[in-house]
Amino acid sequence: MNSKVSINSALSGVESEEPDTAPISIFTAIHLMILRQFVGINAVLAYGGGIVKSAIPGLRAIAPIVLTFETLIGGILATYLLAKLGRRTILQAGTFILAVSTLLITIGFFIIDNAYNAGTALILTGLLIFMFTFGATLGSTIWSYAA
């Protein structure tokens, strides 16, 4: 008789011959939550509204709303993409796009002193891509791993 009881069989009340994958799922979920913090979302959320306000003063009142709404649209799109592409593909592509958009923001900050319009355009493009991609990938998809 098997003396080990898996988490799944203990919760469901049904014994199973399948290996217990709960520790791997928990490990993956924890590491994805850590990755989520290190992609730069805190800096973008803290300074994104101010960057948009300084670049385009006319958007001063609605810049935070636009950035938040963009994340919402990305999250809604994620529900469709999860069914079509799967979590792994979304997370891999999303992390790559987040890295590229962060690179755009960085390049924009480096050239803003010499070429204000080009630097501002790169920063705004990077912010928009970042917020949309974060909403569609690491913002919402990682919660499906935790669930």
Side-chain angles (χ1 to χ4, degrees):
M1 183 169 148
N2 188 0
S3 62
K4 290 185 177 181
V5 177
S6 70
I7 294 172
N8 293 335
S9 64
L11 293 175
S12 66
V14 178
E15 287 196 32
S16 173
E17 295 298 321
E18 297 177 18
D20 186 16
T21 59
I24 295 170
S25 298
I26 292 169
F27 179 80
T28 303
I30 289 170
H31 281 83
L32 284 172
M33 297 293 181
I34 292 169
L35 172 67
R36 180 181 186 200
Q37 293 304 311
F38 285 118
V39 296
I41 188 62
N42 292 328
V44 170
L45 288 177
Y47 300 110
I51 292 167
V52 173
K53 288 176 193 177
S54 67
I56 306 172
L59 293 179
R60 185 170 299 254
I62 64 167
I65 297 168
V66 169
L67 290 175
T68 304
F69 183 72
E70 187 179 14
T71 305
L72 173 68
I73 296 298
I76 292 169
L77 178 67
T79 58
Y80 173 76
L81 291 176
L82 275 171
K84 294 294 181 185
L85 300 175
R87 294 181 291 192
R88 180 179 294 174
T89 304
I90 290 173
L91 288 173
Q92 288 173 341
T95 304
F96 176 75
I97 294 170
L98 287 171
V100 170
S101 63
T102 305
L103 182 65
L104 286 175
I105 294 169
T106 304
I107 292 170
F109 277 120
F110 276 121
I111 67 169
I112 200 163
D113 292 332
N114 298 329
Y116 181 78
N117 290 337
T120 302
L122 279 176
I123 292 169
L124 291 177
T125 302
L127 278 174
L128 293 175
I129 292 170
F130 186 94
M131 291 302 288
F132 180 79
T133 305
F134 186 84
T137 58
L138 289 176
S140 59
T141 306
I142 61 170
W143 293 104
S144 65
Y145 275 101

